[in-house]
Amino acid sequence: MIYVDADTKRSYTYAQVRSTALDFGKGLKSVWEWKKGDVLALYSPNCIDTPAIMWGTHWAGGIVSPANPGYTADELAFQLKDSGAKALVTLKPFLKTAIQACKKVGIDEDRIILMGDERDETMKFKHFSHIRNLAGTSRYRKAKINPSKDLAFLVYSSGTTGHPKGVMLSHTNIVSNTCMLKTGEQGNLSWKGGPNNEGDKILAFLPFFHAYVPHPAPYPLYSITNKTRVSPVSSISPCTPA
């Protein structure tokens, strides 16, 4: 097991993260004809589905652009337009703002999908797990990238001195940071660690929607030593959609 939801106890094993990511990545290519360099925006507090969606997007050659779930429709619309997002993933409580923002920048409603445990009762907005290659064709392959030049993430600053600014992070940037974290944590984490010898755990309360989605959140836990698990916490205090 690698991820456990601190609230619902829903979990992912390493194999489940991989299979879910592959299904989503192939689905992006099949359903939306996803191209290398296309941007997928995430508008959500911390969610256990984030890693699978993130790696699935990368498999398809896409770039992930996480957005602050506290954004208003106008603020979210700015990031969607500035990043050139082709689609958006959100949680059901944030759907209203997501729809408003996407309308402002011309993203069709069928490109808004949900993550997390809740579903849209009207069935108008699909869950990300339904973005799949239902035809079962074998022609979809992992996108070929240049790790040092192609982007993995497009994260945005807080905008304290004006509009938020996009920060371009390549795949090499992320791998380099992961290697540094591995060096620092190697030998400190164990499957037999913790007070009950059930394995060391890391509580992931830092915001995935900021710089932590490509760094301390999912990546290092996948590769440090394969000896720990992470429990994403949606928020320390209740997070209310705008």
Side-chain angles (χ1 to χ4, degrees):
M1 189 181 301
I2 181 172
Y3 300 112
V4 180
D5 189 297
D7 297 320
T8 68
K9 305 307 179 185
R10 183 160 66 91
S11 63
Y12 275 97
T13 64
Y14 285 83
Q16 287 170 335
V17 172
R18 183 178 186 276
S19 63
T20 303
L22 288 175
D23 285 343
F24 183 62
K26 292 176 182 178
L28 287 175
K29 290 193 170 190
S30 174
V31 178
W32 290 343
E33 298 182 350
W34 207 255
K35 301 293 191 300
K36 177 182 172 182
D38 283 350
V39 175
L40 180 72
L42 296 181
Y43 179 57
S44 167
N46 291 1
C47 178
I48 195 172
D49 295 322
T50 298
I53 291 172
M54 178 186 73
W55 284 314
T57 304
H58 290 163
W59 185 92
I63 301 166
V64 177
S65 183
N68 188 332
Y71 275 169
T72 64
D74 285 338
E75 290 170 330
L76 177 58
F78 172 83
Q79 181 169 331
L80 294 175
K81 182 178 181 180
D82 193 69
S83 66
K86 302 294 184 181
L88 181 144
V89 187
T90 189
L91 290 172
K92 186 183 174 185
F94 300 84
L95 188 55
K96 181 179 178 181
T97 302
I99 293 171
Q100 293 172 348
C102 286
K103 184 176 182 180
K104 290 176 180 288
V105 298
I107 296 177
D108 293 338
E109 288 189 353
D110 63 1
R111 290 294 184 100
I112 303 173
I113 57 176
L114 298 177
M115 63 198 299
D117 295 320
E118 292 188 82
R119 305 294 195 268
D120 174 35
E121 295 86 353
T122 68
M123 304 298 289
K124 183 177 182 179
F125 298 96
K126 295 180 180 179
H127 193 260
F128 86 94
S129 57
H130 293 162
I131 305 298
R132 302 169 63 92
N133 177 23
L134 297 178
T137 179
S138 60
R139 68 184 179 91
Y140 297 112
R141 296 287 185 268
K142 181 181 178 181
K144 294 182 180 180
I145 63 166
N146 182 329
S148 63
K149 294 183 178 181
D150 292 328
L151 300 188
F153 293 94
L154 186 56
V155 298
Y156 276 73
S157 67
S158 58
T160 53
T161 58
H163 283 303
K165 299 171 180 64
V167 180
M168 299 182 291
L169 298 175
S170 71
H171 291 268
T172 297
N173 291 151
I174 304 305
V175 172
S176 297
N177 186 259
T178 301
C179 289
M180 288 189 289
L181 288 167
K182 179 177 180 179
T183 299
E185 295 293 345
Q186 196 167 22
N188 296 325
L189 303 171
S190 169
W191 283 119
K192 298 181 180 179
N196 300 318
N197 297 321
E198 295 178 350
D200 290 314
K201 301 177 178 70
I202 294 179
L203 188 64
F205 64 88
L206 292 171
F208 289 6
F209 59 82
H210 207 277
Y212 296 104
V213 68
H215 291 297
Y219 259 96
L221 276 301
Y222 194 78
S223 64
I224 288 174
T225 54
N226 292 347
K227 292 181 180 178
T228 188
R229 69 185 69 173
V230 59
S231 292
V233 177
S234 58
S235 59
I236 297 303
S237 58
C239 188
T240 304

